[in-house]
Amino acid sequence: MNKACLFVNLLVGVLLSGAALGDQADNGLECTIKMEKTFFDVRDRLRDFTLVFTNKGKEPVRLYDGFYPDPTLGPHIMIKLWSQQTGKEKKEVGSYLGAYHVNPMFQDIRFITLKPGEKHEVPIKDVYLLVEFLPETLRLSKGETYLLEVEYMDERGEPGVRRTYKGETKFCTKP
C-alpha cells in the first residue's frame, strides 16, 4: 500500500513539474533583430532596434504582449552585448535584464495572435539607457565587431508553456 502511494505521488509530482517547467518545443515563431545601421561610430550611442516575430509555422501562435507593460518599466527582454574579437573568446561587454512584471488586472493583459506568415514588430527604444556597460570596458572600442543578443521569454502566451525566443545580430564600429 505504501509503495503504491509513493509511486502515485512520484508520478503526480513528475507530471506537475513537467507542466510547470513548460514546453520548449518549436511552435514556428522566429525572432530576429532589425537595426537601422549595423556600422557606426563609437561616439554614437548604442542604436535602437526592432524585434521582429514571424510565424513560420502552420498554426496561429499566441504571444504575450508584455514588452512595455508600463511606461516606467523597461521591456521584458534580456539583452547581452558581446565583443567578437578575432582570435579571442567572446567577452560580455554589456547587459540588461528586464524584470518580469505581470499586471494584476486581467483586462489589461494583452496578447497578440500571429497567423501563419504574419509578422509582429516591437521597437526597442532608448537601448543606450537600458544596457549597462561593464566597468572594465566603459565604452565600445573602435574597429570591433559586436554581437547583440536578445531573449524574450513568454510564460503567458499558452497556459503552462514557457517559450524562449532568441534573436542575434552583429554590428561593427568605425576604425
Side-chain angles (χ1 to χ4, degrees):
M1 178 76 175
N2 286 339
K3 288 183 181 181
C5 289
L6 181 64
F7 178 72
V8 170
N9 284 339
L10 183 62
L11 184 61
V12 169
V14 167
L15 291 175
L16 290 177
S17 67
L21 289 174
D23 176 21
Q24 293 286 346
D26 182 23
N27 62 352
L29 199 61
E30 180 182 274
C31 177
T32 56
I33 299 172
K34 182 171 68 173
M35 293 182 88
E36 281 184 37
K37 294 182 180 179
T38 57
F39 191 74
F40 58 90
D41 195 295
V42 292
R43 292 173 294 197
D44 292 346
R45 62 185 191 195
L46 191 58
R47 302 278 185 199
D48 292 345
F49 59 86
T50 302
L51 284 178
V52 181
F53 292 91
T54 308
N55 186 357
K56 295 196 172 189
K58 296 177 183 176
E59 299 289 325
V61 175
R62 190 168 111 159
L63 185 67
Y64 175 57
D65 185 12
F67 297 100
Y68 286 97
D70 184 291
T72 61
L73 301 172
H76 293 159
I77 59 176
M78 182 169 58
I79 302 172
K80 288 196 176 182
L81 189 59
W82 301 91
S83 173
Q84 292 269 280
Q85 298 172 353
T86 53
K88 297 182 182 176
E89 282 187 32
K90 71 179 186 177
K91 179 173 77 171
E92 187 174 345
V93 177
S95 64
Y96 165 78
L97 177 60
Y100 201 84
H101 302 282
V102 176
N103 195 325
M105 301 299 292
F106 183 73
Q107 63 268 23
D108 293 337
I109 296 177
R110 299 180 313 262
F111 294 95
I112 302 158
T113 302
L114 295 174
K115 295 176 184 159
E118 267 189 333
K119 289 184 178 184
H120 177 67
E121 295 189 357
V122 181
I124 306 297
K125 301 289 184 187
D126 299 326
V127 177
Y128 71 100
L129 294 174
L130 297 174
V131 175
E132 297 175 6
F133 293 98
L134 299 178
E136 68 225 31
T137 55
L138 294 174
R139 59 181 198 191
L140 302 180
S141 300
K142 292 181 179 182
E144 291 229 9
T145 302
Y146 292 91
L147 177 69
L148 178 68
E149 190 178 272
V150 180
E151 276 188 29
Y152 173 64
M153 191 178 341
D154 185 3
E155 298 178 3
R156 307 279 181 225
E158 294 178 49
V161 178
R162 172 191 287 171
R163 295 205 192 312
T164 301
Y165 304 103
K166 188 176 190 179
E168 294 180 343
T169 190
K170 288 184 180 182
F171 65 90
C172 300
T173 54
K174 293 179 183 175

